[in-house]
Amino acid sequence: MSASPPPPAAASDHLSAPDALKSRPTPSQSRFQVDLVSEAAGDGGTAVASDSPPEYAAVPPFDGLRDSEEAKGRFRVVNFAASSPDAAPAEIAQNGDTVMSESSQQHHHYDTHTNTYYLRTFGHNTIDAVPNIDFYRQTAAPLGEKLIRPTLSELHDELDKVRARTPRSRPFEDGFANGEELTPAEEAAAKEASESKGVVKFGWIKGVLVRCMLNIWGVMLFIRMTWIVGQAGIAYSCIIVIMATVVTTITGCSTSAIATNGFVRGGGAYYLISRSLGPEFGGSIGLIFAFANAVAVAMYVVGFAETVVELLNSSGALMFDVTNDIRIVGTITVILLLGISVAGMEWEAKAQIFLLVILISAIFNYFIGTFIRVESKEKFGFFSYDVGILAENFGPDFRGETFFSVFSIFFPAATGILAGANISGDLADPQMAIPKGTLLAILITGLVYMGVAISAGNIVRDATGIESNMTINGSNCTDAACKFGYDFTSCRPAAGGGKTACEFGLHNDFQVMSVVSGFGPLITAGVFSATLSSALASLVSAPKVFQALCKDNIYPGIAVFGKGYGKNNEPLRGYLLTFGIALAFIVIAELNVIAPIISNFFLASYALINFSVFHASLANSPGWRPSFKYYNMWVSLAGAILCCVVMFIINWWAALLTNVIVLSLYIYVSYKKPDVNWGSSTQALTYHQALTHSLQLCGVADHIKTYRPQCLVMTGAPNSRPALLHLVHAFTKNSTLCVCCFRKLNSDMVRYQRWLLHNNSKAFYTPVVGEDLRQGTQYLLQAAGLGRLRPNTLVLGFKNDWHIGDIKDVETYINLMHDAFDFQYGVVILRLREGLDISHIQGQGTVLSPTLPLNVADQRLLDASQQFQQKQGKGTIDVWWLFDDGGLTLLIPYLIANKKKWKDCKIRVFIGGKINRIDHDRRAMATLLSKFRIDFSDITVLGDINTKPKSEGLTEFAQMIEPYKLREDDMEQEAAEKLKSEEPWRITDNELELYKSNRQIRLNELLKEHSSTANLIVMSMPLARKGAVSSALYMAWLDTLSKDLPPILLVRGNHQSVLTFYS
């Protein structure tokens, strides 16, 4: 937009001028209109639009943002603009449907966000953005695109950091925050949607109302409703219709609630259930729902073919035999229906309208016929409306049926309420169309079924069809038809049951509506219309649902059927798959067994939709805000239970089979754990339950019997020290808390947590910011966890490089343990001979990515890092329980030995003792372990711990600590004290005399002697008094004690009992 000189101040003392608005494009009502701010590059001046206040025009931009390149594409919010009558509409209405025009797909300059940091908002220089719908989009969309609002860092950090930040450094650059990330399939679908031109979108009438009515008004309306009235009577028939309508109305309200709780994409029942309950339920229902719709095509087509073959048979025009003729007619019919569907949704919708006209005409034709008394129809049992006949048919007359068996026959007629929701992706406004169209369709079809039930009660149950059946004076005729001169008493079956000899009446003639109607052939046309429309709706629904299922990539190998073609993204491959399934069942030509299974598949979907609303309401998530308010969580729960009850009423074995299939698919999807995050109510309820249970735990005091070692593991990046994580996971998996920590706050937190989940490491990942490792650890020791779910044990890896690194790091490392003890934590240190840190040979992802072949040392390190993931062979876990720390040294190896990978390892216990009391000490320890109910294979009492170590060990230890000695004898006392205060890690001669190190050297010799072949050593960690033993000396103790050994855990509890033998 070209810039114009600023107007006088008096004329522009507001945000925008009305005259200026007329010349600008107006995208929609209630949208912030944003104009570009152009800046001249040559003179450094700033030219602003005509409606900009002059006092802001002269304000220079931020330092470093003056150059013209950065000035390009900057924004200024001008006004809260309303739609202009002259503006071109963004959407063009055609025949009640919405067609996205080509121009509406263009992205204007005021709808894009550039990489600059200078905006004019309310006339001020700021990058703070005003509320905009495009910030909340997940992908590119019509009339806008996914924009990224300025991050908190861009608004809050120092300006030099903001300028230095590149666009690639913005967080969530390859996804969206807060669980809004899309799968690649969804992104591709969104891209196709944004690029499509002239897309046909249906309104609520053509898209939902018509489809639902056509699906609900199936063959049942014309060829079974009258038979139901004959069996159940008018009263029970109305009750059956009301019961079915109650179930469908509750489900319709639940569907409306879910459909109005956010933007709805294509996929119908699958999309609604999966986004509400998660991929487990959605994936299982989506597959069987798509399959049920595909088989329903065959059902309706076979119903049509049977009617055609009956007409051919009555005319003597059969081609072969009845079965083969049904196959031929059905195959030809489904091919024609496929052609209509593949031609496009617009043609399919036109065909549906045509069929609806025929169907409504047939219904009116029937009702008109009920008011016309024709003498030729009386022999078939129809005498128009008569109170006597209505009273006679008011009660039931079950012949080989029961109320529930008749209900089970009628209910499949009510299973078409999701026909509109199944094409949700082709609706212009699903949030408005689905509630209005579905509920109105249920109301209209329910009233029609009630009307047919009452009007059919004017037809006698049995009729001979013979005109010479006049009554004789004085005969014993008591039926309502007697007063019209007809005696149909001979049609009644015997008292013991049996089949009547008459062929007409409600009980005997399925085509009685043709007799009653004003023009019989129109009823036949209605039957054709009902079957073909239902088949066409199912033929469209199945591929659409299956396409959505394929795009979510929940099941492997089916994505090929999800590819869309054309402007409407038609799933042509899905159509062919549906055609193949339907054709297979048409060739069978016998669907009496599979029909109840299909009804149960639909009912299972209804039950889960109702349960979704109950579940979402129970979770009480802030994201559950449906605009449709006429629902109730308890009514939805009752609807779910009713659907399950109806499933078993219709066919108990089919209901069991349906539940088994749903459960099997649920288990499969749960096992596969698809990488999706849809913000389901399952997540919300899980959070709610976790919070509730955590609060309940806070009200219960700790008890020894419920103690668990809850570990705070200092891993750094969790994939850099896998051996440490794997071993801790061995005694915390499924039973206790594990928190992995990293002293660095970065944007990889979500990725590291996913790494833990993908590697089946049930642990939390927590980064923290601190000046150094000690400060960060102190924060974690005090604040990590929630309530009772707080760590009580600090787990560290041994610092192998302590003698070659900065000695200050050793001071920090030792102080971590002192701090842990101060906070009443237990401490565990793991040492591997090869080391723990593999970050230099492993990429930051989940897969090893060394750039060069590994040397021998690195290969050994890599192999050692994976050793705890492998099943441990027969061996031992040696427990050196030298000091009583409350029992943690014994509890950890017990927990490890109970795991599957360690079950072949036996526990051996080593304790210290006196030579003259070895047997006594062994029996005492055996008694204690028995009381603790801890299995062990051997107990060894070490009576020679205090023996002087070998000279080689003494010499090696002396060489180890030599660089860290203070050597106070070689300097003045004042200088020595000053040096000690400056370098507190230095070892004094007094320390060496007071705290003998011979025990650590001797223990290492005993460890090599007794436990050199152990799978794991767990040993009591020596404790150094804080402020008395220098960090260098303590580190030397730990190093000397644990060197050249199999994997060793040094453990020290907080000296509070964690084991008890009381019940």
mmCIF file with all atom_site columns, all heavy atoms in Angstrom, residues 8 21 37 76 84 191 239 369-370 407 508 601 620 682 687 703 727 788 819 871 886 1024:
data_model
loop_
_atom_site.group_PDB
_atom_site.id
_atom_site.type_symbol
_atom_site.label_atom_id
_atom_site.label_alt_id
_atom_site.label_comp_id
_atom_site.label_asym_id
_atom_site.label_entity_id
_atom_site.label_seq_id
_atom_site.pdbx_PDB_ins_code
_atom_site.Cartn_x
_atom_site.Cartn_y
_atom_site.Cartn_z
_atom_site.occupancy
_atom_site.B_iso_or_equiv
_atom_site.pdbx_formal_charge
_atom_site.auth_seq_id
_atom_site.auth_comp_id
_atom_site.auth_asym_id
_atom_site.auth_atom_id
_atom_site.pdbx_PDB_model_num
ATOM 1   N N   . PRO A 1 8    ? -3.525  16.596  9.122  1.00 0.00 ? 8    PRO A N   1
ATOM 2   C CA  . PRO A 1 8    ? -3.391  17.459  10.305 1.00 0.00 ? 8    PRO A CA  1
ATOM 3   C C   . PRO A 1 8    ? -3.813  16.729  11.554 1.00 0.00 ? 8    PRO A C   1
ATOM 4   O O   . PRO A 1 8    ? -4.653  15.848  11.534 1.00 0.00 ? 8    PRO A O   1
ATOM 5   C CB  . PRO A 1 8    ? -4.333  18.640  9.980  1.00 0.00 ? 8    PRO A CB  1
ATOM 6   C CG  . PRO A 1 8    ? -4.458  18.643  8.498  1.00 0.00 ? 8    PRO A CG  1
ATOM 7   C CD  . PRO A 1 8    ? -4.336  17.235  8.062  1.00 0.00 ? 8    PRO A CD  1
ATOM 8   N N   . LEU A 1 21   ? -11.432 3.793   5.277  1.00 0.00 ? 21   LEU A N   1
ATOM 9   C CA  . LEU A 1 21   ? -11.849 2.395   5.315  1.00 0.00 ? 21   LEU A CA  1
ATOM 10  C C   . LEU A 1 21   ? -12.496 1.968   4.014  1.00 0.00 ? 21   LEU A C   1
ATOM 11  O O   . LEU A 1 21   ? -12.444 0.809   3.625  1.00 0.00 ? 21   LEU A O   1
ATOM 12  C CB  . LEU A 1 21   ? -12.834 2.166   6.479  1.00 0.00 ? 21   LEU A CB  1
ATOM 13  C CG  . LEU A 1 21   ? -12.248 2.205   7.879  1.00 0.00 ? 21   LEU A CG  1
ATOM 14  C CD1 . LEU A 1 21   ? -13.374 2.057   8.900  1.00 0.00 ? 21   LEU A CD1 1
ATOM 15  C CD2 . LEU A 1 21   ? -11.228 1.105   8.047  1.00 0.00 ? 21   LEU A CD2 1
ATOM 16  N N   . VAL A 1 37   ? 3.172   -0.575  7.145  1.00 0.00 ? 37   VAL A N   1
ATOM 17  C CA  . VAL A 1 37   ? 3.816   0.707   7.396  1.00 0.00 ? 37   VAL A CA  1
ATOM 18  C C   . VAL A 1 37   ? 5.067   0.766   6.540  1.00 0.00 ? 37   VAL A C   1
ATOM 19  O O   . VAL A 1 37   ? 5.972   -0.042  6.717  1.00 0.00 ? 37   VAL A O   1
ATOM 20  C CB  . VAL A 1 37   ? 4.179   0.870   8.888  1.00 0.00 ? 37   VAL A CB  1
ATOM 21  C CG1 . VAL A 1 37   ? 4.902   2.173   9.098  1.00 0.00 ? 37   VAL A CG1 1
ATOM 22  C CG2 . VAL A 1 37   ? 2.915   0.829   9.726  1.00 0.00 ? 37   VAL A CG2 1
ATOM 23  N N   . ARG A 1 76   ? 0.468   -2.073  11.175 1.00 0.00 ? 76   ARG A N   1
ATOM 24  C CA  . ARG A 1 76   ? -0.128  -1.106  12.080 1.00 0.00 ? 76   ARG A CA  1
ATOM 25  C C   . ARG A 1 76   ? -1.608  -1.421  12.153 1.00 0.00 ? 76   ARG A C   1
ATOM 26  O O   . ARG A 1 76   ? -2.292  -1.499  11.137 1.00 0.00 ? 76   ARG A O   1
ATOM 27  C CB  . ARG A 1 76   ? 0.076   0.313   11.547 1.00 0.00 ? 76   ARG A CB  1
ATOM 28  C CG  . ARG A 1 76   ? -0.586  1.382   12.390 1.00 0.00 ? 76   ARG A CG  1
ATOM 29  C CD  . ARG A 1 76   ? -0.100  2.744   11.921 1.00 0.00 ? 76   ARG A CD  1
ATOM 30  N NE  . ARG A 1 76   ? -0.154  2.838   10.477 1.00 0.00 ? 76   ARG A NE  1
ATOM 31  C CZ  . ARG A 1 76   ? -1.279  3.076   9.807  1.00 0.00 ? 76   ARG A CZ  1
ATOM 32  N NH1 . ARG A 1 76   ? -2.393  3.224   10.434 1.00 0.00 ? 76   ARG A NH1 1
ATOM 33  N NH2 . ARG A 1 76   ? -1.255  3.151   8.482  1.00 0.00 ? 76   ARG A NH2 1
ATOM 34  N N   . SER A 1 84   ? -17.981 -3.973  4.716  1.00 0.00 ? 84   SER A N   1
ATOM 35  C CA  . SER A 1 84   ? -18.546 -2.955  3.842  1.00 0.00 ? 84   SER A CA  1
ATOM 36  C C   . SER A 1 84   ? -19.568 -3.574  2.919  1.00 0.00 ? 84   SER A C   1
ATOM 37  O O   . SER A 1 84   ? -19.393 -4.668  2.415  1.00 0.00 ? 84   SER A O   1
ATOM 38  C CB  . SER A 1 84   ? -17.428 -2.300  3.030  1.00 0.00 ? 84   SER A CB  1
ATOM 39  O OG  . SER A 1 84   ? -17.977 -1.479  2.031  1.00 0.00 ? 84   SER A OG  1
ATOM 40  N N   . LYS A 1 191  ? -3.167  -28.698 3.907  1.00 0.00 ? 191  LYS A N   1
ATOM 41  C CA  . LYS A 1 191  ? -2.568  -28.019 2.761  1.00 0.00 ? 191  LYS A CA  1
ATOM 42  C C   . LYS A 1 191  ? -3.425  -28.196 1.524  1.00 0.00 ? 191  LYS A C   1
ATOM 43  O O   . LYS A 1 191  ? -3.665  -27.255 0.764  1.00 0.00 ? 191  LYS A O   1
ATOM 44  C CB  . LYS A 1 191  ? -1.162  -28.576 2.514  1.00 0.00 ? 191  LYS A CB  1
ATOM 45  C CG  . LYS A 1 191  ? -0.417  -27.878 1.385  1.00 0.00 ? 191  LYS A CG  1
ATOM 46  C CD  . LYS A 1 191  ? 0.975   -28.445 1.234  1.00 0.00 ? 191  LYS A CD  1
ATOM 47  C CE  . LYS A 1 191  ? 1.714   -27.739 0.091  1.00 0.00 ? 191  LYS A CE  1
ATOM 48  N NZ  . LYS A 1 191  ? 3.068   -28.288 -0.076 1.00 0.00 ? 191  LYS A NZ  1
ATOM 49  N N   . ILE A 1 239  ? -45.020 -47.188 21.635 1.00 0.00 ? 239  ILE A N   1
ATOM 50  C CA  . ILE A 1 239  ? -43.982 -47.281 22.668 1.00 0.00 ? 239  ILE A CA  1
ATOM 51  C C   . ILE A 1 239  ? -42.649 -47.680 22.044 1.00 0.00 ? 239  ILE A C   1
ATOM 52  O O   . ILE A 1 239  ? -41.592 -47.141 22.404 1.00 0.00 ? 239  ILE A O   1
ATOM 53  C CB  . ILE A 1 239  ? -44.408 -48.296 23.752 1.00 0.00 ? 239  ILE A CB  1
ATOM 54  C CG1 . ILE A 1 239  ? -45.606 -47.755 24.541 1.00 0.00 ? 239  ILE A CG1 1
ATOM 55  C CG2 . ILE A 1 239  ? -43.251 -48.602 24.692 1.00 0.00 ? 239  ILE A CG2 1
ATOM 56  C CD1 . ILE A 1 239  ? -46.169 -48.736 25.536 1.00 0.00 ? 239  ILE A CD1 1
ATOM 57  N N   . GLY A 1 369  ? -54.234 -42.012 1.037  1.00 0.00 ? 369  GLY A N   1
ATOM 58  C CA  . GLY A 1 369  ? -55.013 -43.225 0.787  1.00 0.00 ? 369  GLY A CA  1
ATOM 59  C C   . GLY A 1 369  ? -55.772 -43.713 2.004  1.00 0.00 ? 369  GLY A C   1
ATOM 60  O O   . GLY A 1 369  ? -56.830 -44.344 1.882  1.00 0.00 ? 369  GLY A O   1
ATOM 61  N N   . THR A 1 370  ? -55.242 -43.420 3.212  1.00 0.00 ? 370  THR A N   1
ATOM 62  C CA  . THR A 1 370  ? -55.941 -43.889 4.418  1.00 0.00 ? 370  THR A CA  1
ATOM 63  C C   . THR A 1 370  ? -57.276 -43.179 4.633  1.00 0.00 ? 370  THR A C   1
ATOM 64  O O   . THR A 1 370  ? -58.145 -43.677 5.353  1.00 0.00 ? 370  THR A O   1
ATOM 65  C CB  . THR A 1 370  ? -55.059 -43.661 5.661  1.00 0.00 ? 370  THR A CB  1
ATOM 66  O OG1 . THR A 1 370  ? -54.758 -42.263 5.791  1.00 0.00 ? 370  THR A OG1 1
ATOM 67  C CG2 . THR A 1 370  ? -53.774 -44.456 5.563  1.00 0.00 ? 370  THR A CG2 1
ATOM 68  N N   . PHE A 1 407  ? -39.257 -55.175 18.838 1.00 0.00 ? 407  PHE A N   1
ATOM 69  C CA  . PHE A 1 407  ? -38.441 -53.970 18.974 1.00 0.00 ? 407  PHE A CA  1
ATOM 70  C C   . PHE A 1 407  ? -37.100 -54.126 18.263 1.00 0.00 ? 407  PHE A C   1
ATOM 71  O O   . PHE A 1 407  ? -36.618 -53.188 17.617 1.00 0.00 ? 407  PHE A O   1
ATOM 72  C CB  . PHE A 1 407  ? -38.217 -53.676 20.460 1.00 0.00 ? 407  PHE A CB  1
ATOM 73  C CG  . PHE A 1 407  ? -37.293 -52.513 20.714 1.00 0.00 ? 407  PHE A CG  1
ATOM 74  C CD1 . PHE A 1 407  ? -37.740 -51.210 20.590 1.00 0.00 ? 407  PHE A CD1 1
ATOM 75  C CD2 . PHE A 1 407  ? -35.970 -52.718 21.068 1.00 0.00 ? 407  PHE A CD2 1
ATOM 76  C CE1 . PHE A 1 407  ? -36.887 -50.148 20.818 1.00 0.00 ? 407  PHE A CE1 1
ATOM 77  C CE2 . PHE A 1 407  ? -35.110 -51.662 21.309 1.00 0.00 ? 407  PHE A CE2 1
ATOM 78  C CZ  . PHE A 1 407  ? -35.578 -50.368 21.179 1.00 0.00 ? 407  PHE A CZ  1
ATOM 79  N N   . ASN A 1 508  ? -50.185 -60.637 7.652  1.00 0.00 ? 508  ASN A N   1
ATOM 80  C CA  . ASN A 1 508  ? -49.839 -61.555 6.577  1.00 0.00 ? 508  ASN A CA  1
ATOM 81  C C   . ASN A 1 508  ? -49.260 -60.891 5.327  1.00 0.00 ? 508  ASN A C   1
ATOM 82  O O   . ASN A 1 508  ? -48.595 -61.563 4.539  1.00 0.00 ? 508  ASN A O   1
ATOM 83  C CB  . ASN A 1 508  ? -51.094 -62.349 6.175  1.00 0.00 ? 508  ASN A CB  1
ATOM 84  C CG  . ASN A 1 508  ? -51.799 -62.931 7.390  1.00 0.00 ? 508  ASN A CG  1
ATOM 85  O OD1 . ASN A 1 508  ? -51.187 -63.613 8.195  1.00 0.00 ? 508  ASN A OD1 1
ATOM 86  N ND2 . ASN A 1 508  ? -53.099 -62.657 7.505  1.00 0.00 ? 508  ASN A ND2 1
ATOM 87  N N   . PHE A 1 601  ? -22.905 -52.761 15.564 1.00 0.00 ? 601  PHE A N   1
ATOM 88  C CA  . PHE A 1 601  ? -21.784 -51.858 15.309 1.00 0.00 ? 601  PHE A CA  1
ATOM 89  C C   . PHE A 1 601  ? -22.232 -50.404 15.418 1.00 0.00 ? 601  PHE A C   1
ATOM 90  O O   . PHE A 1 601  ? -21.551 -49.569 16.019 1.00 0.00 ? 601  PHE A O   1
ATOM 91  C CB  . PHE A 1 601  ? -21.198 -52.121 13.922 1.00 0.00 ? 601  PHE A CB  1
ATOM 92  C CG  . PHE A 1 601  ? -20.300 -53.329 13.867 1.00 0.00 ? 601  PHE A CG  1
ATOM 93  C CD1 . PHE A 1 601  ? -19.772 -53.758 12.663 1.00 0.00 ? 601  PHE A CD1 1
ATOM 94  C CD2 . PHE A 1 601  ? -19.988 -54.039 15.007 1.00 0.00 ? 601  PHE A CD2 1
ATOM 95  C CE1 . PHE A 1 601  ? -18.943 -54.869 12.598 1.00 0.00 ? 601  PHE A CE1 1
ATOM 96  C CE2 . PHE A 1 601  ? -19.164 -55.143 14.962 1.00 0.00 ? 601  PHE A CE2 1
ATOM 97  C CZ  . PHE A 1 601  ? -18.642 -55.557 13.756 1.00 0.00 ? 601  PHE A CZ  1
ATOM 98  N N   . ASN A 1 620  ? -14.428 -32.436 33.463 1.00 0.00 ? 620  ASN A N   1
ATOM 99  C CA  . ASN A 1 620  ? -14.550 -31.010 33.785 1.00 0.00 ? 620  ASN A CA  1
ATOM 100 C C   . ASN A 1 620  ? -13.356 -30.220 33.278 1.00 0.00 ? 620  ASN A C   1
ATOM 101 O O   . ASN A 1 620  ? -12.817 -29.353 33.970 1.00 0.00 ? 620  ASN A O   1
ATOM 102 C CB  . ASN A 1 620  ? -14.707 -30.816 35.295 1.00 0.00 ? 620  ASN A CB  1
ATOM 103 C CG  . ASN A 1 620  ? -15.266 -29.440 35.644 1.00 0.00 ? 620  ASN A CG  1
ATOM 104 O OD1 . ASN A 1 620  ? -15.914 -28.805 34.812 1.00 0.00 ? 620  ASN A OD1 1
ATOM 105 N ND2 . ASN A 1 620  ? -15.001 -28.980 36.844 1.00 0.00 ? 620  ASN A ND2 1
ATOM 106 N N   . THR A 1 682  ? -10.044 -38.299 28.012 1.00 0.00 ? 682  THR A N   1
ATOM 107 C CA  . THR A 1 682  ? -9.291  -39.286 28.784 1.00 0.00 ? 682  THR A CA  1
ATOM 108 C C   . THR A 1 682  ? -8.088  -38.639 29.452 1.00 0.00 ? 682  THR A C   1
ATOM 109 O O   . THR A 1 682  ? -7.791  -38.904 30.629 1.00 0.00 ? 682  THR A O   1
ATOM 110 C CB  . THR A 1 682  ? -8.829  -40.432 27.867 1.00 0.00 ? 682  THR A CB  1
ATOM 111 O OG1 . THR A 1 682  ? -9.971  -41.010 27.221 1.00 0.00 ? 682  THR A OG1 1
ATOM 112 C CG2 . THR A 1 682  ? -8.112  -41.507 28.664 1.00 0.00 ? 682  THR A CG2 1
ATOM 113 N N   . TYR A 1 687  ? -5.783  -36.495 34.435 1.00 0.00 ? 687  TYR A N   1
ATOM 114 C CA  . TYR A 1 687  ? -5.225  -35.398 35.238 1.00 0.00 ? 687  TYR A CA  1
ATOM 115 C C   . TYR A 1 687  ? -6.077  -35.175 36.491 1.00 0.00 ? 687  TYR A C   1
ATOM 116 O O   . TYR A 1 687  ? -5.548  -35.011 37.599 1.00 0.00 ? 687  TYR A O   1
ATOM 117 C CB  . TYR A 1 687  ? -5.173  -34.120 34.404 1.00 0.00 ? 687  TYR A CB  1
ATOM 118 C CG  . TYR A 1 687  ? -4.811  -32.892 35.191 1.00 0.00 ? 687  TYR A CG  1
ATOM 119 C CD1 . TYR A 1 687  ? -3.488  -32.576 35.455 1.00 0.00 ? 687  TYR A CD1 1
ATOM 120 C CD2 . TYR A 1 687  ? -5.809  -32.059 35.696 1.00 0.00 ? 687  TYR A CD2 1
ATOM 121 C CE1 . TYR A 1 687  ? -3.161  -31.453 36.188 1.00 0.00 ? 687  TYR A CE1 1
ATOM 122 C CE2 . TYR A 1 687  ? -5.487  -30.932 36.439 1.00 0.00 ? 687  TYR A CE2 1
ATOM 123 C CZ  . TYR A 1 687  ? -4.164  -30.634 36.680 1.00 0.00 ? 687  TYR A CZ  1
ATOM 124 O OH  . TYR A 1 687  ? -3.840  -29.529 37.414 1.00 0.00 ? 687  TYR A OH  1
ATOM 125 N N   . HIS A 1 703  ? 4.202   -44.386 56.054 1.00 0.00 ? 703  HIS A N   1
ATOM 126 C CA  . HIS A 1 703  ? 4.321   -45.623 56.830 1.00 0.00 ? 703  HIS A CA  1
ATOM 127 C C   . HIS A 1 703  ? 5.437   -46.466 56.237 1.00 0.00 ? 703  HIS A C   1
ATOM 128 O O   . HIS A 1 703  ? 5.673   -46.452 55.025 1.00 0.00 ? 703  HIS A O   1
ATOM 129 C CB  . HIS A 1 703  ? 3.009   -46.407 56.809 1.00 0.00 ? 703  HIS A CB  1
ATOM 130 C CG  . HIS A 1 703  ? 2.938   -47.475 57.859 1.00 0.00 ? 703  HIS A CG  1
ATOM 131 N ND1 . HIS A 1 703  ? 3.517   -48.717 57.708 1.00 0.00 ? 703  HIS A ND1 1
ATOM 132 C CD2 . HIS A 1 703  ? 2.359   -47.471 59.090 1.00 0.00 ? 703  HIS A CD2 1
ATOM 133 C CE1 . HIS A 1 703  ? 3.305   -49.443 58.793 1.00 0.00 ? 703  HIS A CE1 1
ATOM 134 N NE2 . HIS A 1 703  ? 2.594   -48.708 59.646 1.00 0.00 ? 703  HIS A NE2 1
ATOM 135 N N   . LEU A 1 727  ? 19.221  -48.803 35.200 1.00 0.00 ? 727  LEU A N   1
ATOM 136 C CA  . LEU A 1 727  ? 19.314  -49.500 36.484 1.00 0.00 ? 727  LEU A CA  1
ATOM 137 C C   . LEU A 1 727  ? 18.317  -48.927 37.495 1.00 0.00 ? 727  LEU A C   1
ATOM 138 O O   . LEU A 1 727  ? 17.655  -49.668 38.225 1.00 0.00 ? 727  LEU A O   1
ATOM 139 C CB  . LEU A 1 727  ? 20.731  -49.400 37.040 1.00 0.00 ? 727  LEU A CB  1
ATOM 140 C CG  . LEU A 1 727  ? 20.969  -50.213 38.324 1.00 0.00 ? 727  LEU A CG  1
ATOM 141 C CD1 . LEU A 1 727  ? 20.716  -51.697 38.071 1.00 0.00 ? 727  LEU A CD1 1
ATOM 142 C CD2 . LEU A 1 727  ? 22.375  -50.001 38.851 1.00 0.00 ? 727  LEU A CD2 1
ATOM 143 N N   . ARG A 1 788  ? 3.014   -36.085 48.324 1.00 0.00 ? 788  ARG A N   1
ATOM 144 C CA  . ARG A 1 788  ? 3.704   -37.324 48.658 1.00 0.00 ? 788  ARG A CA  1
ATOM 145 C C   . ARG A 1 788  ? 4.505   -37.870 47.490 1.00 0.00 ? 788  ARG A C   1
ATOM 146 O O   . ARG A 1 788  ? 5.348   -38.757 47.675 1.00 0.00 ? 788  ARG A O   1
ATOM 147 C CB  . ARG A 1 788  ? 2.678   -38.376 49.110 1.00 0.00 ? 788  ARG A CB  1
ATOM 148 C CG  . ARG A 1 788  ? 2.031   -38.094 50.450 1.00 0.00 ? 788  ARG A CG  1
ATOM 149 C CD  . ARG A 1 788  ? 2.905   -38.560 51.603 1.00 0.00 ? 788  ARG A CD  1
ATOM 150 N NE  . ARG A 1 788  ? 3.162   -39.980 51.532 1.00 0.00 ? 788  ARG A NE  1
ATOM 151 C CZ  . ARG A 1 788  ? 2.308   -40.925 51.939 1.00 0.00 ? 788  ARG A CZ  1
ATOM 152 N NH1 . ARG A 1 788  ? 1.144   -40.566 52.455 1.00 0.00 ? 788  ARG A NH1 1
ATOM 153 N NH2 . ARG A 1 788  ? 2.618   -42.203 51.844 1.00 0.00 ? 788  ARG A NH2 1
ATOM 154 N N   . ASP A 1 819  ? 24.404  -31.962 50.706 1.00 0.00 ? 819  ASP A N   1
ATOM 155 C CA  . ASP A 1 819  ? 23.104  -31.295 50.647 1.00 0.00 ? 819  ASP A CA  1
ATOM 156 C C   . ASP A 1 819  ? 21.968  -32.310 50.708 1.00 0.00 ? 819  ASP A C   1
ATOM 157 O O   . ASP A 1 819  ? 20.943  -32.065 51.361 1.00 0.00 ? 819  ASP A O   1
ATOM 158 C CB  . ASP A 1 819  ? 22.989  -30.484 49.349 1.00 0.00 ? 819  ASP A CB  1
ATOM 159 C CG  . ASP A 1 819  ? 23.944  -29.302 49.315 1.00 0.00 ? 819  ASP A CG  1
ATOM 160 O OD1 . ASP A 1 819  ? 24.361  -28.853 50.402 1.00 0.00 ? 819  ASP A OD1 1
ATOM 161 O OD2 . ASP A 1 819  ? 24.283  -28.848 48.201 1.00 0.00 ? 819  ASP A OD2 1
ATOM 162 N N   . LYS A 1 871  ? 18.644  -59.190 29.492 1.00 0.00 ? 871  LYS A N   1
ATOM 163 C CA  . LYS A 1 871  ? 18.312  -60.158 30.533 1.00 0.00 ? 871  LYS A CA  1
ATOM 164 C C   . LYS A 1 871  ? 19.595  -60.663 31.174 1.00 0.00 ? 871  LYS A C   1
ATOM 165 O O   . LYS A 1 871  ? 20.523  -61.093 30.493 1.00 0.00 ? 871  LYS A O   1
ATOM 166 C CB  . LYS A 1 871  ? 17.516  -61.321 29.936 1.00 0.00 ? 871  LYS A CB  1
ATOM 167 C CG  . LYS A 1 871  ? 17.094  -62.368 30.979 1.00 0.00 ? 871  LYS A CG  1
ATOM 168 C CD  . LYS A 1 871  ? 16.220  -63.422 30.368 1.00 0.00 ? 871  LYS A CD  1
ATOM 169 C CE  . LYS A 1 871  ? 15.898  -64.513 31.380 1.00 0.00 ? 871  LYS A CE  1
ATOM 170 N NZ  . LYS A 1 871  ? 15.231  -64.002 32.578 1.00 0.00 ? 871  LYS A NZ  1
ATOM 171 N N   . GLY A 1 886  ? 19.020  -47.916 57.751 1.00 0.00 ? 886  GLY A N   1
ATOM 172 C CA  . GLY A 1 886  ? 17.567  -47.970 57.723 1.00 0.00 ? 886  GLY A CA  1
ATOM 173 C C   . GLY A 1 886  ? 17.034  -49.064 56.819 1.00 0.00 ? 886  GLY A C   1
ATOM 174 O O   . GLY A 1 886  ? 15.838  -49.320 56.795 1.00 0.00 ? 886  GLY A O   1
ATOM 175 N N   . ALA A 1 1024 ? 31.119  -39.359 55.211 1.00 0.00 ? 1024 ALA A N   1
ATOM 176 C CA  . ALA A 1 1024 ? 32.147  -38.402 55.651 1.00 0.00 ? 1024 ALA A CA  1
ATOM 177 C C   . ALA A 1 1024 ? 31.467  -37.254 56.373 1.00 0.00 ? 1024 ALA A C   1
ATOM 178 O O   . ALA A 1 1024 ? 30.467  -36.716 55.888 1.00 0.00 ? 1024 ALA A O   1
ATOM 179 C CB  . ALA A 1 1024 ? 32.926  -37.882 54.447 1.00 0.00 ? 1024 ALA A CB  1
#
